[in-house]
Amino acid sequence: VTSDPSAAAEPRWLNEQELAAWRPFSGLMLKLLSALDAQLQRDADLSFFGYLVLAGLSEAPGRTRRMSELAVLSNGSLSRLSHAVATLERRGYVQRCPSPENGRITLATLTDAGYAKLVATAPGHVEAVRSLVLDVLSESQFQQLGQLATRILESDPDACG
Amino acid sequence: VTSDPSAAAEPRWLNEQELAAWRPFSGLMLKLLSALDAQLQRDADLSFFGYLVLAGLSEAPGRTRRMSELAVLSNGSLSRLSHAVATLERRGYVQRCPSPENGRITLATLTDAGYAKLVATAPGHVEAVRSLVLDVLSESQFQQLGQLATRILESDPDACG
DNA sequence: AAAGATTGACTTTTCAATCTTG
DNA sequence: CAAGATTGAAAAGTCAATCTTT
């Protein structure tokens, strides 16, 4: 994990200060994702991940993307995406077909019904994001949160994507 | 959602600035939890939630807590906890028994094996938290992250806990 | 009847194995 | 064989219904 031999020897626990920051943050992740999932499930019978899939497709040219690209956009594994898209396809929100150019590639396309579903679902979801997070922070605090998240995501060795 | 009649009329989407902060943050939550789960699963056959349950018990007097108290500590629903503890109990890490004082209450206790498991698991988990988050930020940035999380958790209307 | 907790059925996620095309 | 994606089985999570004690 580290190349410094002296650092490897000590266990390095979290001290009190660190714990006082880590606990709320990890708790926030768990609860916030639950809350977002619950809102979408209740109001639209959609998971947060499923919502991100529809949203990711809606912004693509031709409302179409390769599965592997879509997996990255929606922050999930290819396997997870494949299952999720299978469900969305059953419900008529997405269609898959092999790429004409390269037979290994699968292209997922948002159907009109899928686009309509997204349009119907977005306001409630956005409102949840606002009331749970955005309205709670000042503008600059929210920007800070985004910057901290970006820093963590970008730095990450190989685990965070 | 809001009591201001004029605010209820407009849909209130996320603007570009807001999106630029929200996307990395939501992505971070998804990926970070996955990474923590994966490390624990791989190295200790434990979920992050399961780890929090063991940790929550380890800090309690007599290594014992009521289920409902433990659910709050580990950021999950009582139902989720009940299933998780059932698994942990099967593996010998936890024991449940009805409270002698109040028969409705179930007390969960960390066994010696459970404590040993936690001690064996903690260093790897802490190292993951360090390398993924702590080492990436300055001390003050990490404190900021904790403060922002705390603010969100405390303000929350009723959804975050 | 309410509080505290568990259960069962269903859905989602994960991991490893597999399939298919280049 | 590697890249891109899917599949199946097992584990975890969610919701609603249920059970028990007060």
Side-chain angles (χ1 to χ4, degrees):
Chain A
V1 169
T2 174
S3 54
D4 177 1
S6 71
E10 28 163 346
R12 298 168 79 215
W13 298 90
L14 296 187
N15 63 39
E16 266 186 58
Q17 257 208 339
E18 290 168 336
L19 252 188
W22 173 246
R23 274 213 280 238
F25 179 63
S26 59
L28 177 63
M29 294 194 293
L30 257 354
K31 286 175 177 156
L32 197 47
L33 288 178
S34 282
L36 294 176
D37 260 322
Q39 183 272 321
L40 284 166
Q41 203 67 58
R42 177 167 34 76
D43 297 346
D45 193 29
L46 230 48
S47 67
F48 184 38
F49 185 70
Y51 178 87
L52 291 179
V53 170
L54 298 186
L57 287 177
S58 76
E59 293 164 2
R63 289 179 192 164
T64 297
R65 285 197 205 274
R66 314 164 45 166
M67 290 294 282
S68 47
E69 186 190 4
L70 188 54
V72 172
L73 256 178
S74 46
N75 308 295
S77 69
L78 200 44
S79 169
R80 181 178 187 178
L81 177 64
S82 193
H83 284 296
V85 167
T87 298
L88 294 172
E89 198 169 30
R90 249 180 271 125
R91 299 185 186 167
Y93 299 147
V94 173
Q95 258 222 315
R96 277 181 293 190
C97 69
S99 163
E101 300 170 0
N102 184 338
R104 298 193 279 201
I105 291 176
T106 300
L107 297 174
T109 300
L110 191 64
T111 65
D112 288 347
Y115 187 75
K117 177 70 171 176
L118 183 63
V119 167
T121 304
H125 173 63
V126 169
E127 185 52 42
V129 171
R130 285 207 177 277
S131 68
L132 292 172
V133 183
L134 256 165
D135 289 350
V136 168
L137 303 177
S138 72
E139 199 174 312
S140 81
Q141 286 175 329
F142 187 60
Q143 298 303 319
Q144 272 181 25
L145 189 63
Q147 283 164 17
L148 292 173
T150 300
R151 187 176 309 249
I152 295 172
L153 283 174
E154 285 179 348
S155 93
D156 95 64
D158 55 351
C160 272
Chain B
V1 168
T2 172
S3 53
D4 177 3
S6 70
E10 28 163 347
R12 297 168 83 217
W13 298 89
L14 296 187
N15 63 38
E16 266 186 58
Q17 257 209 339
E18 290 167 337
L19 251 188
W22 173 245
R23 275 213 278 239
F25 179 62
S26 59
L28 177 63
M29 294 194 293
L30 256 356
K31 286 175 176 156
L32 196 49
L33 287 178
S34 283
L36 295 176
D37 260 321
Q39 182 273 321
L40 284 166
Q41 203 67 57
R42 177 168 34 76
D43 297 346
D45 193 30
L46 229 49
S47 67
F48 184 39
F49 185 71
Y51 179 87
L52 291 179
V53 169
L54 297 186
L57 288 177
S58 76
E59 292 163 4
R63 290 178 192 165
T64 297
R65 286 196 203 275
R66 312 165 45 165
M67 290 293 282
S68 46
E69 185 189 5
L70 188 54
V72 172
L73 257 177
S74 44
N75 307 295
S77 69
L78 201 44
S79 169
R80 180 177 187 179
L81 178 66
S82 194
H83 283 295
V85 166
T87 299
L88 294 172
E89 197 169 31
R90 250 180 268 124
R91 299 184 186 166
Y93 298 146
V94 173
Q95 259 222 313
R96 277 181 293 191
C97 69
S99 163
E101 300 170 0
N102 184 337
R104 298 191 278 198
I105 292 176
T106 300
L107 296 174
T109 301
L110 190 65
T111 65
D112 289 348
Y115 187 75
K117 178 69 173 178
L118 183 63
V119 167
T121 303
H125 172 64
V126 169
E127 187 50 42
V129 172
R130 285 205 176 279
S131 67
L132 292 173
V133 183
L134 257 165
D135 290 350
V136 168
L137 302 178
S138 71
E139 199 174 312
S140 80
Q141 286 176 329
F142 188 60
Q143 298 303 318
Q144 273 180 24
L145 189 63
Q147 283 164 16
L148 292 173
T150 300
R151 186 176 311 247
I152 295 171
L153 283 174
E154 286 180 347
S155 94
D156 97 64
D158 56 349
C160 270

